[in-house]
């Protein structure tokens, strides 16, 4: 770290300044959610807000933020600075910079970063940044994320590499005209961009207020002290692990309907090397990139965030949640190796827009490797998510809606898996049915938990949900998902979970099973799309599960009487009582 300070601050002052910084980020998040037009930001909170210092260190982030939005923000700033330096451009007071280049730090094309440089006494001291997912970015088909057939980065939509949408406080009307002329549902998307700018400006104002109140040296010293503290805590956690190499592999559906075998059954390989207080995560052995399908993942902005979030969650938060400031100090002891030309480090112009589900497989596979050394701090295999984009036209205007279909966690030591939630590096909120039906020509005709599908274990796996949505007008849909072929892994003799599914019901009642990735498909009024979320793996021997817990699972309709007997060795009578004597005999006979 290159920041120099005159003296170390006392812990009380550091916490006061940290609280002020965090409150600024939280305020940014509140304002962005309230000002946004789209449900993906307003309701699902798929956005990030953070303050970054002049050393590209993240000082704080909004509590609303998803890890996949706030985590990449230092990378956005790094990419912006790199591009502007190459062009010979300067940051000026009043600038607002738009950036979404996935090969320069951005998470993927629909996640726009809006960056406001912060000046103090005419000197650049940092950046206030918001990121958010936008529902259309001018790609080949309506919607975003579901563009699973994009042939290269250019087919994924508009690309902005550190473009000033405001320059010295003056609006660059040419860029705004490009946005409006090339984006479907432009009023909504441009409105969301303006909300991001407003929130970033609020963050810049609060950053300056904090500097004016406490002094720049104090803020710098706080940044140094907190990042050093976070680094120390991560190093302490790593040093408790036994030195050695730990390996795991994860498999993805890929494009199951493709005739090309290189585009399906794709592998993520993770070798975790522990040496003292440092970790190396080596992704050598991962499948090669797919040049004409957007399942590739940006190394900086997706893969690194999946790794950092997993390490923090398992090594720190699972032991002592909430006591570790989120900043770049947590990443210093971690080295990532990802060979170029693989899914985890593609070469431009390989498309990356559908990187969401693959990134979750990276996180899940890393957790599987960590299970060898910290078995009580991991969950069994995690059920992945789906991203559904729905769209239609009303006259000249498009409507676009995006839904993140939740997954489920595997069982954990001492706890059952969580049911029907966003998993791993995703923590967006469920979009309310009332909001969907009041804004779009859609009807949610079914939304329920999967019954009788939880993976057996001493601690059972979580269950996914089933959601069915019907088009009230002619429209289209596209889907990015995974987990239709490979079950979430069971751990410590727990059983594997259940795969997800997707089907389309036509107005005449006929139904068609679909793969996990569907390019934009036009459907008639009355067509329904049914999404089935996967179920996480079980943890531990099912015959060691408490018979009372098995009975409660039966009473809650997680399992049937027959499943209690066959999968857990627990006998439940027809009138719903636990037969303790018969259970003891049955378990003894197994």
């Amino acid at each position: 770290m290159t920041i120099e300070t005159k003296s170390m601050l006392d812990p009380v002052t550091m916490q006061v300044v940290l609280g002020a910084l965090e409150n600024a980020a939280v305020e940014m998040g509140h304002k962005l959610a309230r000002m946004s037009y789209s449900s993906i930001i307003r309701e699902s909170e798929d956005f990030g807000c953070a303050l970054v210092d002049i050393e590209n260190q993240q000082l704080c982030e909004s509590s609303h933020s998803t890890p996949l939005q706030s985590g990449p923000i230092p990378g956005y700033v790094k990419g912006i600075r790199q591009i502007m330096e190459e062009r010979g451009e300067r940051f000026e007071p009043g600038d607002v910079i738009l950036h979404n280049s996935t090969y320069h730090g951005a998470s993927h094309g629909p996640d726009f970063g809006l960056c406001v440089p912060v000046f103090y006494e005419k000197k650049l001291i940092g950046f206030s940044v918001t990121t958010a997912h936008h529902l259309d970015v001018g790609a080949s088909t309506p919607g975003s994320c579901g563009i699973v057939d994009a042939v290269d980065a250019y087919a994924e939509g508009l690309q902005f590499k550190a473009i000033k949408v405001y320059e010295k406080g003056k609006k660059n009307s040419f860029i705004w005209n490009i946005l409006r002329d090339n984006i479907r549902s432009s009023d909504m998307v441009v409105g969301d961009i303006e909300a991001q700018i407003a929130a970033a400006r609020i963050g810049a104002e609060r950053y300056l207020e904090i500097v004016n109140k406490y002094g720049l040296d104090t803020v710098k010293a706080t940044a140094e002290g907190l990042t050093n503290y976070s680094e120390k805590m991560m190093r302490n956690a790593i040093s408790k692990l036994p030195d050695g190499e730990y390996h795991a592999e994860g498999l993805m559906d890929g494009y199951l309907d493709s005739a090309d075998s290189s585009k399906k059954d794709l592998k993520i390989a993770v070798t975790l090397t522990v040496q003292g207080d440092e970790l190396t995560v080596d992704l050598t052995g991962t499948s090669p990139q797919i040049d004409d399908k957007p399942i590739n993942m940006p190394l900086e902005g997706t893969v690194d965030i999946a790794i950092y979030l997993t390490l923090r969650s398992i090594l720190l938060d699972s032991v002592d949640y909430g006591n570790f400031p989120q900043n770049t100090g947590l990443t210093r002891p971690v080295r990532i190796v990802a060979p170029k030309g693989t899914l985890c480090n593609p070469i431009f112009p390989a498309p990356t827009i559908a990187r969401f589900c693959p990134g979750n497989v990276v996180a899940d596979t890393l957790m599987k490797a960590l299970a060898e050394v910290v078995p009580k701090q991991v969950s069994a295999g995690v059920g992945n998510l789906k991203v559904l984009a729905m769209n239609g036209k009303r006259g000249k205007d498009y409507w676009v809606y995006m839904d993140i279909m939740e997954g489920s966690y595997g069982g954990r030591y001492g706890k059952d898996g969580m049911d029907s939630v966003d998993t791993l590096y995703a923590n967006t909120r469920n979009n309310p049915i009332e909001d969907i039906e009041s804004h779009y020509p859609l009807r949610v005709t079914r939304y329920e938990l999967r019954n009788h599908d939880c993976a057996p274990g001493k601690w059972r796996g979580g269950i996914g949900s089933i959601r069915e949505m019907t088009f009230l007008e002619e429209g289209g849909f596209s889907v990015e998902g995974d987990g239709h072929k490979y079950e979430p892994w069971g751990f410590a003799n727990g059983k594997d979970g259940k795969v997800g599914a997707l089907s389309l019901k036509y107005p005449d009642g006929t139904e068609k099973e679909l793969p996990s990735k569907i390019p934009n498909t036009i459907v008639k009024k009355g067509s329904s799309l049914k999404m089935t979320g996967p179920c996480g793996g079980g943890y531990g021997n099912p015959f060691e599960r408490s018979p009372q817990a098995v009975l409660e699972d039966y009473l809650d309709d997680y399992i049937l009487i027959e499943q209690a007997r066959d999968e857990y060795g627990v006998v439940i009578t027809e009138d719903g009582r636990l037969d303790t004597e018969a259970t003891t005999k049955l378990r003894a006979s197994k």
Side-chain angles (χ1 to χ4, degrees):
M1 189 170 183
T2 59
I3 291 179
E4 296 182 1
T5 55
K6 296 180 180 179
S7 63
M8 293 297 294
L9 288 182
D10 64 277
V12 173
T13 301
M14 286 177 57
Q15 287 299 317
V16 170
V17 177
L18 173 62
L21 291 167
E22 289 180 338
N23 283 340
V26 169
E27 183 182 357
M28 291 167 69
H30 278 302
K31 296 288 175 64
L32 177 53
R34 290 177 64 86
M35 290 186 288
S36 294
Y37 289 65
S38 67
S39 61
I40 192 64
I41 302 176
R42 183 186 67 249
E43 296 290 343
S44 298
E45 296 186 346
D46 190 6
F47 64 79
C49 302
L51 299 177
V52 177
D53 70 13
I54 195 63
E55 304 292 336
N56 271 21
Q57 297 180 121
Q58 181 177 308
L59 301 175
C60 56
E61 66 181 33
S62 170
S63 56
H64 307 75
S65 305
T66 70
L68 200 51
Q69 291 285 3
S70 284
I73 284 178
Y76 276 78
V77 174
K78 176 184 173 184
I80 290 170
R81 297 178 76 173
Q82 175 189 337
I83 292 168
M84 290 183 61
E85 183 177 342
E86 291 172 355
R87 293 174 178 163
E89 297 178 354
R90 294 167 50 89
F91 294 102
E92 301 285 354
D95 285 352
V96 180
I97 298 131
L98 169 61
H99 185 70
N100 75 331
S101 174
T102 56
Y103 288 87
H104 297 86
S107 185
H108 72 159
D111 289 350
F112 284 8
L114 274 300
C115 174
V116 173
V118 181
F119 288 83
Y120 176 69
E121 296 180 349
K122 299 183 179 181
K123 183 179 180 181
L124 181 66
I125 62 169
F127 305 88
S128 175
V129 186
T130 60
T131 60
H133 186 101
H134 293 275
L135 295 187
D136 191 86
V137 289
S140 55
T141 58
S144 54
C145 272
I147 309 169
V148 296
D149 56 345
V151 297
D152 58 24
Y154 298 100
E156 297 179 309
L158 294 168
Q159 299 180 66
F160 296 99
K161 298 180 180 179
I163 300 298
K164 292 186 179 184
V165 292
Y166 281 84
E167 189 166 7
K168 297 182 181 180
K170 183 179 179 181
K171 193 170 188 176
N172 186 339
S173 59
F174 299 104
I175 299 301
W176 290 92
N177 289 338
I178 288 172
L179 288 166
R180 288 194 175 275
D181 291 345
N182 289 276
I183 289 178
R184 307 170 186 89
S185 299
S186 59
D187 286 347
M188 176 181 66
V189 174
V190 171
D192 284 345
I193 293 171
E194 290 173 332
Q196 277 190 253
I197 292 171
R201 284 172 168 164
I202 289 166
E205 291 175 12
R206 298 295 179 264
Y207 193 177
L208 276 177
E209 289 172 3
I210 293 167
V211 170
N212 283 319
K213 183 173 183 178
Y214 298 103
L216 183 58
D217 285 344
T218 298
V219 174
K220 285 183 176 181
T222 298
E224 180 178 352
L226 292 171
T227 51
N228 288 343
Y229 172 74
S230 294
E231 178 183 358
K232 178 181 178 181
M233 298 310 294
M234 179 60 82
R235 289 190 182 277
N236 287 344
I238 294 170
S239 66
K240 295 176 184 177
L241 308 178
D243 285 358
E245 286 190 359
Y246 309 94
H247 185 77
E249 293 184 354
L251 291 170
M252 297 185 291
D253 300 345
Y255 291 80
L256 290 174
D257 56 343
S258 174
D260 185 347
S261 61
S262 68
K263 294 176 181 168
K264 53 188 176 182
D265 303 320
L266 303 172
K267 181 172 71 174
I268 299 294
V270 174
T271 299
L272 180 70
T273 301
V274 181
Q275 188 171 11
D277 62 358
E278 295 187 345
L279 279 177
T280 298
V281 179
D282 190 343
L283 303 170
T284 301
T286 293
S287 293
Q289 72 180 48
I290 299 178
D291 291 332
D292 60 351
K293 296 290 183 183
I295 198 172
N296 309 291
M297 296 166 276
L299 172 59
E300 189 170 23
T302 294
V303 174
D304 58 347
I305 303 307
I307 290 170
Y308 296 147
L309 186 276
T310 304
L311 292 174
R312 175 191 168 124
S313 298
I314 293 173
L315 299 182
L316 295 177
D317 293 339
S318 65
V319 178
D320 189 6
Y321 177 75
N323 292 331
F324 309 102
Q326 177 59 42
N327 55 53
T328 51
L330 295 170
T331 69
R332 290 176 184 167
V334 181
R335 175 171 169 259
I336 300 173
V337 177
K340 276 191 170 295
T342 62
L343 292 174
C344 291
N345 192 5
I347 299 169
F348 182 83
T352 58
I353 200 169
R355 83 341 177 184
F356 180 76
C357 291
N360 250 355
V361 177
V362 172
D364 185 64
T365 307
L366 174 57
M367 183 167 66
K368 192 175 184 180
L370 282 164
E372 296 185 52
V373 283
V374 283
K376 294 184 179 181
Q377 292 167 230
V378 303
S379 81
V382 173
N384 215 327
L385 295 86
K386 291 182 178 66
V387 181
L388 166 68
M390 307 178 87
N391 64 83
K393 285 186 70 177
R394 287 174 169 168
K396 296 180 180 179
D397 296 326
Y398 279 87
W399 62 267
V400 181
Y401 168 70
M402 194 178 94
D403 194 280
I404 299 178
M405 173 70 173
E406 60 272 3
S408 57
Y409 274 98
R412 300 163 287 167
Y413 183 83
K415 294 183 179 180
D416 295 332
M418 290 185 283
D419 305 322
S420 190
V421 292
D422 279 10
T423 56
L424 300 171
Y425 65 16
N427 66 344
T428 51
R429 299 195 312 172
N430 188 348
N431 203 17
I433 293 172
E434 296 83 357
D435 183 80
I436 298 169
E437 295 185 343
S438 63
H439 288 89
Y440 306 99
L442 300 168
R443 179 163 295 148
V444 181
T445 50
R446 185 180 180 190
Y447 193 19
E448 61 192 47
L449 293 173
R450 290 178 67 170
N451 292 336
H452 318 141
D453 277 341
C454 55
K458 184 174 182 179
W459 298 285
R460 63 165 176 78
I463 57 176
S465 60
I466 299 173
R467 188 183 310 180
E468 187 169 354
M469 301 177 71
T470 301
F471 285 85
L472 304 182
E473 299 175 0
E474 180 179 300
F477 74 92
S478 54
V479 179
E480 175 203 342
D482 206 84
H484 282 201
K485 183 174 182 179
Y486 298 104
E487 298 91 348
W489 45 278
F491 183 65
N493 296 316
K495 302 301 181 183
D496 290 343
K498 298 289 195 304
V499 297
L502 181 68
S503 64
L504 176 63
K505 184 184 291 185
Y506 297 98
D508 63 4
T510 59
E511 194 166 355
K512 178 183 179 181
E513 294 297 319
L514 301 174
S516 54
K517 296 166 187 64
I518 299 292
N520 193 59
T521 302
I522 303 301
V523 293
K524 294 180 179 179
K525 174 182 176 180
S527 300
S528 297
L529 196 67
K530 183 174 78 171
M531 297 180 289
T532 302
C535 302
Y539 187 118
N541 187 345
F543 278 68
E544 295 178 5
R545 184 169 177 80
S546 159
Q548 184 61 39
V550 175
L551 175 63
E552 291 174 2
D553 284 344
Y554 164 72
L555 296 174
D556 289 336
D557 209 23
Y558 280 97
I559 59 174
L560 300 167
I561 286 179
E562 294 78 13
Q563 290 175 296
R565 181 187 64 243
D566 298 339
E567 297 173 351
Y568 293 95
V570 173
V571 179
I572 298 173
T573 64
E574 291 297 330
D575 60 350
R577 293 182 297 107
L578 177 65
D579 189 329
T580 304
E581 183 178 349
T583 295
T584 301
K585 290 181 179 180
L586 179 58
R587 285 188 162 183
S589 68
K590 296 292 185 178

